[in-house]
Amino acid sequence: MTYVLEELRRTPVRAPWIFGGGIALLTIALVAGYGLWVLAAAIVIPTAVAILLRPQVGVIIFSALLPFDGLVRSLGPGWAAPWKQIIILGLLVATFVCPASARAAQKRRYPQWVFVFAALLGLGLISAVFQDRNTALVGLRLSYFSAVLGYVVWRCPLGRRERDWIVTVFMVMGAVTAVVGLWQQAVGHEYLHSLGYAYDDNIRFTTGLTLRSFSTFDLPFAFGFYLMLTILIGLPMALAEPGRLRNRLFFLSLPLLSVALLFSFVRGAMLGLAVGLLYLAFHRYKILVYGIPLVLLAAIFIPSGTNVSTAVFSSSSFQDRTLSWGDRVDRFAENPFGTGIGTTGAAAEKAAKLNFTDPDATYVPDNSWLKVMFEMGVFGVWIFVVMLVSILIATRTAERRSHGIDRDFINGVTAQLLAIMMAAIVATYFELSPMDPLFWLMISIVATMAPEIAPGAPVAGEAARSLGHAETT
């Protein structure tokens, strides 16, 4: 298969023959009434060939499709639900049959956090042995399957231009989803329900029965966190090249993204965004410090006593969470080795439906750290902490050794990682779609960049000269 793809890549294209044959097939198909099928084939076949020749193309397309997962899950047919898993497995197969030029060098050192993740995976597999089949399979899939996407990226690393495309995808899809989110506020919950969205599932309300925007996602939480990631990866890249048209449009879209995030009422995303922006401001992009007064001024002008201000600044939700956590800490003391993979959160709800038991009886901790602690015990949460800290250290190391636009990209990923670690305190972040695959995508991209960066590479002087305006501000 690899040989065939290599020959296909090298074979010169005889445009007249292909053009003439295509016109003939299209004419026959239109006469026979199969025009739509030909149109679909004209899109799918070249795309599939491009992905087989370079799986990185598939990764970019997949990242652009991820924000629409909520539409598929909420309004699409049931058979389309596992589309993400199918595409990820297809990309994995493509990394083995693609030309050698698309794959990375054979001998590379894995980042240290990979071995910590392997230990966490091993603990999860051991835990699954003591669960029923549905609970074990659902728990393992939600907890570990998205890491396969990271392995795809490791086998076929993205080049600088492809990494730039990933940033463009974030910027474009962030703006698109923000517009949809604000449109939902305009049309109201009754119209959304008439489209097929369900109350207490997709359609949710905050204090004062204010609709929480969920855009193209299935839940408001995923929408808010996606906007958080978009802003944190887009800002460093835009500040690095402010004269670029794409980045100018991103600057103009920031108010749109901010207002849409506000109407998702996901305070975990707001908290994570604040942490990420503070890291960027005080670590590298000093101009962002001047934005702090603007944010405070905007918060002051949110009318007090309204549903919006009450929902954003109310502490009742966090108090409810802390009371819930406190009630269950005693249970952890009774079972320090955990209750097993898939026994809490969204995994438990899905497993309960498969086992024909009451999904409402399951416990959703709204905290990724506590979820791991409740399921995997003291050893599991310790390994989980070590893994995230190891990823942060590896990312910061790559950041210090890089320069130019690569350093700006890694800065954004570091800010994302810090925001995720903070958001995980008030949300089961890694169970949300598409947050989990995006997490593995971004940290794996940085992991593939690290071998390109020589240890001891010049940082301060060369980076300052190459970035000029970013460092000066």
Side-chain angles (χ1 to χ4, degrees):
M1 183 65 176
T2 303
Y3 173 77
V4 172
L5 291 173
E6 287 281 6
E7 291 299 315
L8 180 62
R9 186 171 63 88
R10 296 171 182 171
T11 301
V13 177
R14 294 175 172 83
W17 288 100
I18 293 178
F19 181 75
I23 292 295
L25 288 175
L26 180 60
T27 302
I28 295 172
L30 290 174
V31 172
Y34 294 102
L36 291 178
W37 288 99
V38 172
L39 178 62
I43 297 174
V44 172
I45 293 176
T47 302
V49 171
I51 292 173
L52 289 174
L53 290 174
R54 191 161 179 82
Q56 292 89 333
V57 175
V59 172
I60 296 172
I61 295 174
F62 182 59
S63 67
L65 295 176
L66 278 174
F68 299 104
D69 180 49
L71 292 177
V72 177
R73 291 156 62 96
S74 303
L75 305 180
W79 55 264
W83 72 274
K84 299 191 302 299
Q85 291 79 19
I86 294 173
I87 291 181
I88 290 176
L89 290 177
L91 291 174
L92 178 62
V93 172
T95 64
F96 289 94
V97 299
C98 66
S101 59
R103 295 195 293 267
Q106 294 296 323
K107 295 182 179 179
R108 290 178 300 158
R109 181 181 299 177
Y110 285 103
Q112 295 293 330
W113 58 260
V114 169
F115 303 102
V116 186
F117 170 74
L120 187 63
L121 174 60
L123 189 61
L125 292 173
I126 294 173
S127 173
V129 173
F130 302 96
Q131 303 299 323
D132 65 86
R133 183 180 63 180
N134 289 330
T135 301
L137 291 178
V138 172
L140 291 173
R141 177 175 65 83
L142 290 184
S143 297
Y144 303 109
F145 183 82
S146 294
V148 177
L149 180 62
Y151 185 61
V152 169
V153 174
W154 178 258
R155 286 186 54 82
C156 294
L158 278 67
R160 180 173 292 175
R161 177 175 295 181
E162 291 157 336
R163 294 193 293 266
D164 189 68
W165 268 105
I166 290 290
V167 176
T168 301
V169 165
F170 267 111
M171 291 180 175
V172 172
M173 295 314 303
V176 170
T177 56
V179 169
V180 175
L182 295 179
W183 167 79
Q184 290 175 339
Q185 292 291 330
V187 299
H189 62 91
E190 294 180 352
Y191 180 76
L192 296 175
H193 182 61
S194 69
L195 295 178
Y197 290 109
Y199 286 108
D200 296 327
D201 185 8
N202 315 111
I203 303 175
R204 302 192 180 199
F205 301 91
T206 186
T207 305
L209 294 180
T210 303
L211 175 67
R212 305 181 68 169
S213 296
F214 54 91
S215 188
T216 59
F217 302 84
D218 60 338
L219 294 172
F221 312 104
F223 176 40
F225 287 129
Y226 187 82
L227 294 180
M228 175 190 79
L229 297 181
T230 298
I231 295 173
L232 291 178
I233 193 65
L235 264 180
M237 300 294 284
L239 289 172
E241 298 176 328
R244 186 175 173 183
L245 177 60
R246 180 200 70 178
N247 298 336
R248 290 180 180 179
L249 294 175
F250 175 74
F251 284 132
L252 293 175
S253 71
L254 280 175
L256 174 70
L257 299 177
S258 302
V259 173
L261 174 58
L262 179 68
F263 277 102
S264 71
F265 297 104
V266 181
R267 279 169 288 185
M270 300 176 193
L271 178 63
L273 177 62
V275 171
L277 290 178
L278 286 174
Y279 171 78
L280 293 175
F282 291 101
H283 173 66
R284 182 170 174 80
Y285 306 93
K286 307 304 181 185
I287 193 173
L288 294 179
V289 176
Y290 300 105
I292 296 177
L294 296 178
V295 174
L296 295 176
L297 186 64
I300 292 173
F301 277 96
I302 296 178
S304 60
T306 62
N307 293 339
V308 175
S309 64
T310 303
V312 172
F313 299 110
S314 174
S315 60
S316 60
S317 177
F318 184 72
Q319 291 174 353
D320 292 340
R321 284 187 174 92
T322 54
L323 289 174
S324 174
W325 300 335
D327 292 340
R328 286 167 175 80
V329 168
D330 293 338
R331 299 184 185 181
F332 172 72
E334 297 173 359
N335 192 357
F337 296 103
T339 56
I341 189 77
T343 54
T344 63
E349 292 179 340
K350 294 178 184 294
K353 293 177 181 178
L354 294 174
N355 291 330
F356 301 102
T357 57
D358 184 12
D360 294 331
T362 58
Y363 174 57
V364 180
D366 288 324
N367 185 311
S368 293
W369 307 91
L370 290 181
K371 174 181 167 59
V372 176
M373 185 178 76
F374 289 141
E375 289 189 354
M376 312 296 291
V378 62
F379 295 113
V381 73
W382 172 247
I383 296 174
F384 183 65
V385 170
V386 172
M387 183 187 76
L388 290 181
V389 172
S390 299
I391 294 172
L392 180 61
I393 292 174
T395 305
R396 288 282 292 118
T397 301
E399 180 184 313
R400 288 193 299 269
R401 292 176 178 173
S402 62
H403 56 84
I405 199 67
D406 288 343
R407 190 179 185 195
D408 295 286
F409 180 87
I410 300 176
N411 275 328
V413 177
T414 306
Q416 285 187 344
L417 184 57
L418 289 170
I420 289 170
M421 294 172 70
M422 181 59 64
I425 297 176
V426 292
T428 48
Y429 184 92
F430 298 99
E431 283 190 333
L432 294 173
S433 177
M435 315 325 300
D436 194 32
L438 288 175
F439 167 78
W440 289 105
L441 170 65
M442 301 306 286
I443 65 171
S444 299
I445 290 176
V446 174
T448 60
M449 295 171 66
E452 303 173 1
I453 304 168
V459 174
E462 184 176 349
R465 287 191 297 272
S466 63
L467 288 176
H469 60 272
E471 291 286 26
T472 301
T473 55

